Amino acid sequence: MAKRIEFSVTGGPDVLNYVDFTPREPAEHEVLVANKAIGINYIDTYVRSGLYPPPSLPSGLGTEAAGVVEKVGAGVTHIHVGDRVVYAQSALGAYSEYHCVPADKVAKLPNAISFEQAAASFLKGLTVYYLLHMTYKVRPGETIVFHAAAGGVGRIACQWAKALGIKLIATVGSAEKAEQAKRDGAWAVINYRTENIAERVVALTNGEKVNVVYDSVGKSTWLASLDCLKPHGLMISFGNSSGAVTGVDLGILNQKGGLFVTRPSLGNYITTKQLLQHAANELFSMIASGAISVNVPSEQQFPLKDAVRAHKTLESRATSGSCLLIP
């Protein structure tokens, strides 16, 4: 028997249960991974709460982990037993000691990257990769706005942007997080609890505003984000940590300068195993070179059995950067 986290009803963190289960054999084109470190992502709270309902109940949770391949299903030729791997687009169930994953969603992990680094950075790093390189290809010297810049995605974005020569204006919710964003390479920082975001962006850009805003916050920053954009600018809404953006009158995009809005996701951009490994290699190169640091403090690493406490901590906004579950 092995252990995993599952839930039978949607709701708050307390619906998560630590249970016994028997890992299944990998199906055709799948691999069975013995997880060594598991990534906790804010989207997991959406699934648990029912905002993004799971396909069925009871359900596992989580889509990201790093570990060692235990078994290989029929038809898998590019991944082998014993390979160090990482994945971030599995079916729900990564909060587990063992998990079956489509082989095309698995990337090989170089020895220079630890399981903890990989699980802490893979989904978030791939997200930053597609946001900066694919949804909108940011140019060196360009100024951008990135919300929630002290979170897991935001911290990687600050560091990656600095490495690319991009001027990232970070928004954060406290003085401590402002200092963190500066250490991570933000060009400028806005504390949205004490400053007006749009007014500060106008001042920082000498009235020009920016071509693109990256917004994972959602409801509470929607209008401020639009007010940061130049005419014909692009609002990239890729998360809902403050609640979903609903009931939008499209006329507001016209009123504020003929703006564009997109709601992307990783699955819409990283669509093949070749793209996955290429994006992974770009991320691993950044980490190995020291341009991106993803070391997770001990207080943000939780035993697998403590998933309830991990989710409560995450939703309290008390964390900075990534959190992990350790089987």
Side-chain angles (χ1 to χ4, degrees):
M1 298 290 277
K3 293 286 191 178
R4 75 169 188 161
I5 298 295
E6 71 175 31
F7 59 107
S8 298
V9 295
T10 56
D14 290 323
V15 304
L16 301 178
N17 299 304
Y18 184 60
V19 301
D20 294 320
F21 85 112
T22 301
R24 65 175 176 83
E25 293 293 309
E28 186 177 15
H29 304 304
E30 285 187 336
V31 296
L32 177 66
V33 180
N35 292 333
K36 303 300 183 184
I38 301 160
I40 304 173
N41 295 288
Y42 214 90
I43 193 172
D44 300 343
T45 70
Y46 300 161
V47 175
R48 186 213 69 222
S49 70
L51 178 63
Y52 295 170
S56 61
L57 291 169
S59 174
L61 190 61
T63 62
E64 175 183 37
V68 178
V69 175
E70 286 274 314
K71 296 181 181 180
V72 172
V76 178
T77 57
H78 67 294
I79 301 291
H80 303 93
V81 171
D83 281 351
R84 301 174 77 252
V85 296
V86 60
Y87 58 88
Q89 296 172 282
S90 74
L92 293 174
Y95 285 21
S96 178
E97 292 178 343
Y98 296 90
H99 192 36
C100 283
V101 185
D104 286 356
K105 301 299 185 183
V106 168
K108 291 186 178 181
L109 185 62
N111 291 331
I113 309 299
S114 71
F115 294 122
E116 290 79 11
Q117 286 176 310
S121 68
F122 200 52
L123 179 61
K124 301 171 184 69
L126 293 183
T127 297
V128 173
Y129 176 83
Y130 87 73
L131 289 173
L132 297 184
H133 292 277
M134 301 175 79
T135 307
Y136 179 91
K137 190 167 180 60
V138 184
R139 301 177 299 275
E142 190 167 10
T143 304
I144 67 175
V145 171
F146 208 103
H147 290 300
V153 172
R155 290 195 61 185
I156 292 175
C158 287
Q159 295 174 77
W160 208 322
K162 182 180 180 181
L164 295 174
I166 296 162
K167 297 178 179 179
L168 185 146
I169 299 174
T171 78
V172 298
S174 71
E176 293 78 14
K177 290 184 176 182
E179 289 302 316
Q180 182 64 65
K182 290 176 185 175
R183 288 194 297 270
D184 286 332
W187 175 70
V189 180
I190 300 170
N191 183 339
Y192 61 78
R193 297 192 188 280
T194 59
E195 300 175 285
N196 180 288
I197 293 172
E199 288 178 2
R200 284 281 288 132
V201 168
V202 169
L204 287 164
T205 60
N206 297 316
E208 290 190 6
K209 301 186 179 182
V210 298
N211 288 321
V212 62
V213 173
Y214 295 95
D215 191 339
S216 64
V217 177
K219 184 178 180 180
S220 68
T221 49
W222 165 250
L223 290 176
S225 291
L226 299 184
D227 287 335
C228 293
L229 289 166
K230 297 178 182 179
H232 311 155
L234 175 63
M235 160 68 162
I236 301 175
S237 177
F238 68 101
N240 317 295
S241 62
S242 70
V245 178
T246 59
V248 175
D249 177 2
L250 292 179
I252 198 170
L253 303 179
N254 174 45
Q255 296 164 17
K256 293 183 180 295
L259 304 178
F260 294 86
V261 177
T262 185
R263 180 60 172 88
S265 67
L266 181 64
N268 291 328
Y269 281 92
I270 308 299
T271 54
T272 68
K273 64 184 179 185
Q274 291 83 7
L275 268 175
L276 177 66
Q277 192 65 57
H278 173 75
N281 291 343
E282 292 289 311
L283 172 63
F284 298 151
S285 176
M286 284 283 185
I287 296 172
S289 72
I292 292 176
S293 171
V294 289
N295 295 319
V296 181
S298 58
E299 63 270 20
Q300 291 179 202
Q301 297 189 40
F302 303 85
L304 178 60
K305 64 183 178 64
D306 288 346
V308 170
R309 181 165 62 92
H311 271 227
K312 288 180 177 178
T313 303
L314 181 66
E315 291 183 305
S316 74
R317 304 289 184 91
T319 63
S320 177
S322 299
C323 297
L324 295 176
L325 292 172
I326 307 297

